[in-house]
Amino acid sequence: MAAAAGPHAGAAAEARFISSAKGKGLFATRNIRKGETVFVERPVVSSQFLWNALYNYRACDHCLRALETAEENAQRLLGRSSLVLPHPEQCSIRKDLHQQCPRCQVTYCSAECRQAALEQYHQVLCLGPSRDDPTHPLNKLQEAWRNMHYPPETSSIMLMARMVATIKQAKDKEWWIKVFSQFCNKTANEEEEIVHKLLGDKFKLELLRLLFTEALYDEYLSRWFTPEGFRSLFALVGTNGQGIGTSSLSQWVHACDALDLPMLQREELDAFIDQLYKDIEKESGEFLNCEGSGLYVLQSCCNHSCIPNAETSFPENNFLLHLTALEDIEAGEEICISYLDCCQRERSRHSRNKILRENYLFTCSCPKCLAQADDADVTSDEEEEGEGETDDAELEDEMTDV
C-alpha cells in the first residue's frame, strides 16, 4: 500500500514539526544545489477538474497524463483542424497503450493506470451504464459542483469522493485514514479570525454535503458526512490540494527545443512555435493544460515564501510532482515554495497576504513580507482593478505549472 503515494527513494528532504501555529515544514537533509530535483512525489489521490474534463481536455482518469497527441491538442486549442505540426515524431503520446474501463468507458493512458485506479477507488466510483444519467447521485454531485465553482478551477469535489472511495475499498482502512490525517484540515485560523473562502457560502456547502452523503455515505466514515466533518474535509482539500497541469503540446515543444538543428531550421521552428502560442492565446486564453489537483504528503509540508527557494512542476506529463531547487539550499535549511505566481509575488504585501489568507488561512512572515511590514496596508488602483478577476486564474496558473 505504501507504494500508492510518497516521494521516490533518496529524497533530500524531510518533514519536521515547527510549532502548533505553523505546523510542519520541509527541511533539507543534505546540501542541495540550484537546479537539482529535491524529490519526485506521487499523490495520495488526485482528480481532474470537472469543467476541464467537460470542455474535452482529455486526460488519463488516474494519472492525468494528456491523451491527445500534440497535434490534436494544438488543433483543438486553436480551433483549426487543418493544422499540421512539424516533427510529429517528437510527440510522446502512445495511443496504442490507451485503455478504457469496460463498464463506464473512462479512459486511461495505460493498463497500469486502469488497474491502479480499479484497485484504489474506481470500483466504488464506476458509474457503469449510468455514466450519462443525470439522476445518478454522483452525477448530481458533480453537476452541483460545476454550478458552484466555475473556471478558473482550484479544486474538485471528486478529490474528496476519491478519498472516501479509497477508504471504502481498502482492506486496511485505518492505514489510509492515518495518511489523510497527515494533512492540515483547519477550517479557520482562530488566532487571526480567518475562514477559508471556499467555506463562505453555508447554503451551498450544505447542499453539497447532502449530495455527497447521498452518493457516498459510509458508516465507517460517518464523521466526514457531518456538517463539521464535511467542512474539515473541504478545508483539507482547499488548503492542501496541489494543482496539476499536463500538456502533450508542451511536451512536444520541450522535445523540439532539444533537437540539434541547423541554424535556419531552428529559427523557422522557433518562429512557428512562437506564432502558434500567440494564435492559441487569442482562441483559448490561459486555459492551455489538462488541469486537476492532488494531495501530496511531502509537498503539502512545504511552507510558503514570497521569495521561494524551490518550485513544483510536472515535466513527465502526468501527476508525478517534481520539486526543484531555485537556489543552493544548505542541509537543515527550510525548503519553501510560493503559493503565488510570479505576478502576484510582485504585488504589495497587502495584496499578497489577502490572497494567502483567503486560500491558505495565514498571514505571511517571510523575509520579504517582514521587510515590507511598515508599508501601508493599501492596494494600488491597478491591483484593485484586476484583483477580483485574476486572483484565482493566476493562482491556478502557478499551481499547474508544467
Side-chain angles (χ1 to χ4, degrees):
M1 283 184 297
H8 289 187
E14 66 179 9
R16 298 177 192 166
F17 180 76
I18 298 176
S19 67
S20 56
K22 199 169 183 180
K24 291 181 286 189
L26 197 71
F27 293 83
T29 56
R30 58 170 174 79
N31 290 341
I32 301 169
R33 291 186 176 181
K34 178 180 178 179
E36 184 180 341
T37 299
V38 183
F39 61 73
V40 179
E41 186 174 15
R42 183 186 303 269
V44 175
V45 67
S46 61
S47 180
Q48 187 178 4
F49 293 146
L50 293 179
W51 278 105
N52 193 260
L54 189 69
Y55 279 120
N56 207 29
Y57 287 73
R58 296 180 55 233
C60 173
D61 199 58
H62 182 64
C63 79
L64 272 74
R65 181 182 298 278
L67 298 177
E68 296 173 301
T69 65
E71 188 168 274
E72 290 171 338
N73 190 189
Q75 288 173 346
R76 177 175 57 78
L77 292 173
L78 198 57
R80 190 192 305 163
S81 60
S82 60
L83 175 74
V84 176
L85 291 185
H87 302 286
E89 76 283 353
Q90 297 304 314
C91 177
S92 61
I93 301 303
R94 291 281 306 278
K95 287 198 165 189
D96 56 311
L97 298 179
H98 295 179
Q99 292 199 2
Q100 289 186 319
C101 168
R103 294 191 65 237
C104 68
Q105 278 72 57
V106 297
T107 306
Y108 300 95
C109 68
S110 64
E112 290 78 13
C113 273
R114 183 173 72 84
Q115 189 62 29
L118 188 67
E119 291 177 359
Q120 184 178 337
Y121 55 81
H122 190 66
Q123 293 173 50
V124 168
L125 298 178
C126 181
L127 290 170
S130 300
R131 185 180 179 189
D132 297 319
D133 178 4
T135 65
H136 189 283
L138 270 174
N139 285 331
K140 286 162 61 179
L141 177 66
Q142 293 180 73
E143 180 64 17
W145 178 268
R146 280 193 295 266
N147 287 333
M148 295 175 191
H149 297 275
Y150 294 97
E153 299 170 273
T154 57
S155 191
S156 172
I157 195 74
M158 292 308 293
L159 196 61
M160 296 162 62
R162 289 188 177 183
M163 290 171 66
V164 171
T166 292
I167 295 174
K168 289 178 82 165
Q169 282 192 211
K171 291 180 181 177
D172 189 347
K173 300 180 188 300
E174 277 302 313
W175 185 88
W176 278 102
I177 286 178
K178 286 178 182 176
V179 169
F180 290 129
S181 70
Q182 295 178 71
F183 296 98
C184 171
N185 63 352
K186 290 194 300 183
T187 58
N189 182 331
E190 289 83 1
E191 188 177 316
E192 299 191 42
E193 298 182 348
I194 307 169
V195 178
H196 197 281
K197 72 173 188 178
L198 284 179
L199 303 176
D201 193 324
K202 294 179 181 178
F203 172 75
K204 289 181 178 179
L205 197 65
E206 180 61 12
L207 174 60
L208 280 176
R209 186 183 71 85
L210 294 173
L211 291 170
F212 194 75
T213 302
E214 180 187 359
L216 295 158
Y217 184 78
D218 183 82
E219 185 64 34
Y220 192 81
L221 296 170
S222 58
R223 186 188 170 279
W224 281 6
F225 295 89
T226 65
E228 182 184 352
F230 188 68
R231 281 171 60 86
S232 293
L233 195 61
F234 220 75
L236 185 156
V237 168
T239 55
N240 294 280
Q242 163 68 46
I244 301 168
T246 64
S247 167
S248 53
L249 179 60
S250 175
Q251 291 285 299
W252 173 83
V253 169
H254 288 314
C256 286
D257 286 343
L259 289 174
D260 185 13
L261 298 173
M263 184 179 295
L264 184 58
Q265 289 185 36
R266 166 55 60 193
E267 290 175 352
E268 289 177 349
L269 181 58
D270 288 348
F272 174 85
I273 291 172
D274 287 345
Q275 189 60 49
L276 177 63
Y277 271 111
K278 287 177 183 176
D279 293 343
I280 286 175
E281 186 177 0
K282 289 179 184 176
E283 184 69 25
S284 298
E286 299 293 322
F287 298 99
L288 302 183
N289 303 329
C290 296
E291 294 183 349
S293 62
L295 296 176
Y296 295 82
V297 174
L298 264 189
Q299 176 276 334
S300 70
C301 296
C302 287
N303 285 312
H304 164 82
S305 173
C306 296
I307 41 173
N309 57 11
E311 66 178 358
T312 60
S313 62
F314 300 89
E316 298 184 48
N317 195 32
N318 61 13
F319 61 16
L320 290 178
L321 178 149
H322 289 234
L323 187 76
T324 306
L326 292 173
E327 57 188 54
D328 290 346
I329 303 172
E330 294 183 5
E333 185 179 347
E334 185 173 6
I335 300 171
C336 294
I337 59 176
S338 178
Y339 301 169
L340 308 174
D341 71 14
C342 297
C343 294
Q344 290 172 326
R345 290 200 293 273
E346 294 307 311
R347 291 182 174 188
S348 67
R349 173 180 174 271
H350 174 69
S351 294
R352 296 197 306 271
N353 276 289
K354 178 177 181 288
I355 300 167
L356 292 169
R357 281 193 298 270
E358 289 180 348
N359 290 279
Y360 301 102
L361 306 180
F362 73 91
T363 300
C364 184
S365 58
C366 74
K368 182 175 182 177
C369 285
L370 289 177
Q372 297 175 347
D374 293 331
D375 292 359
D377 285 344
V378 181
T379 306
S380 71
D381 292 340
E382 293 161 355
E383 289 178 346
E384 197 69 56
E385 286 174 10
E387 210 163 59
E389 296 178 2
T390 62
D391 279 351
D392 283 345
E394 291 172 348
L395 185 71
E396 183 56 31
D397 185 50
E398 178 72 7
M399 288 169 66
T400 59
D401 183 26
V402 293

